Amino acid sequence: MQVAKDLPVVAVRVDGGGGETPAMNMQAAYEKVSVLVSGNAVVVFTISGCCMCHVVKQLLFGLGVGPTVVELDRCASGSDIHALLVRLSGGGGKPRQQVVPAVFVGGKFLGGIETVMACHINGTLVPLLKDAGALWL
């Protein structure tokens, strides 16, 4: 398992030396997430201690996948990435929307626990993982 303790530093300084605006934080988070998901076959954004995050990680490990795991509560830019994931998941209008675990496969946002489990049950998860280069079965 590869755990991303902190995301790669993007070459552009976003804050310009002053305080960052929310739009700048979102742009920096987007760039960091983009670099991370484009460079890894499977990326899972989690929060340590989250039981559903644990379930997704164990499912992927059980299938033989070694995902890159980003624990948002242990990442310096975790709150900004969490806000970005809320927007990506369409959870802005749902106050109790669960945004973690957030799973990216082959550089694309797959979804959360419900989507991953549905793909696993209907048999489409393994082909997605193979196409992304995460499995060599």
Side-chain angles (χ1 to χ4, degrees):
M1 169 178 83
Q2 179 183 3
V3 177
K5 295 286 183 187
D6 199 5
L7 298 176
V9 177
V10 178
V12 179
R13 184 173 177 157
V14 177
D15 68 355
E20 293 183 353
T21 66
M24 289 178 164
N25 287 342
M26 192 64 69
Q27 180 63 32
Y30 177 81
E31 290 172 4
K32 289 179 181 182
V33 168
S34 180
V35 166
L36 193 60
V37 301
S38 66
N40 296 282
V42 179
V43 180
V44 182
F45 291 94
T46 70
I47 293 177
S48 59
C50 168
C51 62
M52 291 299 109
C53 298
H54 178 75
V55 168
V56 164
K57 291 186 288 187
Q58 291 299 46
L59 171 62
L60 293 171
F61 293 143
L63 292 173
V65 175
T68 298
V69 177
V70 180
E71 293 185 339
L72 297 176
D73 57 331
R74 297 179 185 207
C75 177
S77 53
S79 61
D80 295 331
I81 293 171
H82 188 272
L84 175 66
L85 294 173
V86 168
R87 293 182 84 182
L88 284 176
S89 68
K94 298 177 185 175
R96 298 194 53 131
Q97 176 75 20
Q98 181 78 16
V99 297
V100 292
V103 181
F104 289 78
V105 176
K108 297 177 184 169
F109 181 60
L110 178 61
I113 184 75
E114 292 178 4
T115 305
V116 173
M117 293 307 283
C119 289
H120 178 58
I121 290 168
N122 70 23
T124 59
L125 182 59
V126 169
L128 281 173
L129 295 169
K130 284 182 184 177
D131 290 344
L135 285 176
W136 297 275
L137 297 175

